[in-house]
Amino acid sequence: MTSTIGRTLHGATKDELAAVEGIGALETLCKVIGSADHVANTLIEWSDEEFFAQLWQELQARNAQGTSQDGSTGILHQEGIQGRVPNGAGRDSKDSGIFDETAAAYIGRRKAAEKLLVGALADSHTKAFRAYMAHVQWTTIGDAAIMDDASQMSITPELDEPLRTLKSNFEFLSKALSAASLRRVWREALDKLQDILWNGVLLRQTFTTLGAAQFAHDGAAIFSLIEHYIPGASAALNALRQGLQLVSLPAEPTNGISLKEASDRAFASNQEARGMLQDLGLGALTPMNARHILERRIENSENVGW
């Protein structure tokens, strides 16, 4: 662990963090995660082995008695030893394992590397989505038929690069990490991605009906890509998914709740807002979320269209 990556696990400088970029850095971090995880799991398994469990009990007995072991009294009976050494590492008790402290150190190393990996992914995604957040216009007006048929819509051109970046990161990490580490890392990375799109687009831009439909279509492409690599993982972006559903409500009354009805109920009271969200099945959103999101529709921001 004398490399730049190893040093970052104990506190990184700006220069060291600058080196943690690109697929090469992801590969190095994945090696640290895989190695540390393997060593920790092996040590925990060894703690349950008969030989090491017995040795640990003997060492504790010596320490408690303050005497050295002699040839006639040193061997403890195996009864009551197996099954009593816990799997949890790092606990100082008579029921702990001989490798607890060492295993805990490697688990800590793995967690530190995973945290760095999440940060590297978040930085990669922020850069990839920069043009999407800055240059896309969401106030365009178009044919209503397009909004009624999502198959006629294509993803925003500025989303091509973010999708390529996400795909590249997913493909690499799916091969380089264990299933458990992959889900831990992506759960946090996707949570940060949701923050990027929530604060950088949903609560920042103003949307026409077509613009909102386009953003929802783009969101569906992102969710689909995530599900392709880790089924169920797009649930980490559930608040964003529901926010897209709310902001893209139709302006004109239909069989369901219209934008006007949702807005009237959202701004009437918290109770009415909660009822509206419940009717729409948007349990991940709060009344405050709903009001902020609905304000991004141009019909509400300019008080037109009613």
Side-chain angles (χ1 to χ4, degrees):
M1 298 300 292
T2 59
S3 65
T4 297
I5 296 297
R7 291 194 299 274
T8 60
L9 300 184
H10 302 285
T13 66
K14 289 184 178 180
D15 291 338
E16 288 171 337
L17 287 176
V20 188
E21 294 181 353
I23 293 297
L26 298 186
E27 181 178 7
T28 304
L29 286 169
C30 288
K31 288 179 179 178
V32 174
I33 292 169
S35 298
D37 203 31
H38 175 72
V39 173
N41 289 334
T42 300
L43 291 174
I44 292 172
E45 290 176 3
W46 282 358
S47 292
D48 281 331
E49 292 287 336
E50 178 181 318
F51 172 78
F52 291 113
Q54 181 174 329
L55 177 61
W56 182 235
Q57 291 285 52
E58 290 182 13
L59 290 173
Q60 288 188 311
R62 285 188 188 183
N63 183 63
Q65 296 170 2
T67 59
S68 60
Q69 176 183 344
D70 60 36
S72 61
T73 62
I75 303 299
L76 298 178
H77 292 293
Q78 297 176 7
E79 296 178 2
I81 295 178
Q82 286 182 297
R84 293 175 59 188
V85 178
N87 290 328
R91 291 184 291 179
D92 295 326
S93 70
K94 292 183 179 180
D95 290 328
S96 61
I98 191 170
F99 299 114
D100 279 3
E101 290 186 5
T102 307
Y106 277 98
I107 290 173
R109 189 66 56 86
R110 186 209 73 208
K111 290 180 178 179
E114 286 179 347
K115 185 177 180 180
L116 274 177
L117 183 54
V118 170
L121 289 173
D123 184 61
S124 171
H125 298 157
T126 298
K127 292 178 180 177
F129 276 92
R130 189 167 293 160
Y132 183 78
M133 293 188 292
H135 301 303
V136 178
Q137 296 296 318
W138 304 106
T139 55
T140 56
I141 300 175
D143 188 351
I146 297 178
M147 295 179 285
D148 294 334
D149 185 3
S151 64
Q152 297 186 43
M153 303 184 73
S154 58
I155 64 170
T156 305
E158 287 84 355
L159 189 62
D160 287 339
E161 178 60 27
L163 289 179
R164 279 195 295 269
T165 299
L166 282 169
K167 181 179 179 181
S168 174
N169 289 340
F170 269 118
E171 288 184 344
F172 178 79
L173 294 180
S174 295
K175 299 174 183 177
L177 293 176
S178 67
S181 288
L182 183 70
R183 285 192 170 273
R184 280 194 301 266
V185 167
W186 275 108
R187 186 184 302 115
E188 293 189 40
L190 292 176
D191 187 59
K192 293 181 182 296
L193 176 59
Q194 176 170 257
D195 289 341
I196 292 172
L197 295 173
W198 181 277
N199 296 310
V201 182
L202 183 60
L203 297 187
R204 182 180 179 184
Q205 303 294 335
T206 300
F207 300 89
T208 58
T209 302
L210 179 60
Q214 180 64 61
F215 188 28
H217 185 71
D218 289 350
I222 296 172
F223 303 144
S224 177
L225 178 65
I226 295 170
E227 288 296 315
H228 175 74
Y229 289 98
I230 309 179
S234 67
L237 285 77
N238 201 33
L240 176 64
R241 189 198 307 270
Q242 295 187 11
L244 293 176
Q245 182 179 339
L246 183 61
V247 79
S248 59
L249 286 175
E252 299 297 328
T254 60
N255 294 330
I257 295 177
S258 67
L259 176 66
K260 184 179 187 306
E261 180 184 349
S263 300
D264 289 343
R265 295 174 66 181
F267 288 97
S269 67
N270 283 339
Q271 182 176 355
E272 277 292 321
R274 281 190 287 268
M276 177 271 295
L277 292 172
Q278 183 176 0
D279 291 343
L280 289 171
L282 307 181
L285 303 180
T286 66
M288 184 65 72
N289 292 151
R291 286 190 279 270
H292 286 323
I293 292 170
L294 291 168
E295 284 176 342
R296 306 319 302 169
R297 280 293 291 270
I298 196 168
E299 292 88 343
N300 286 327
S301 63
E302 296 184 0
N303 194 28
V304 297
W306 304 141

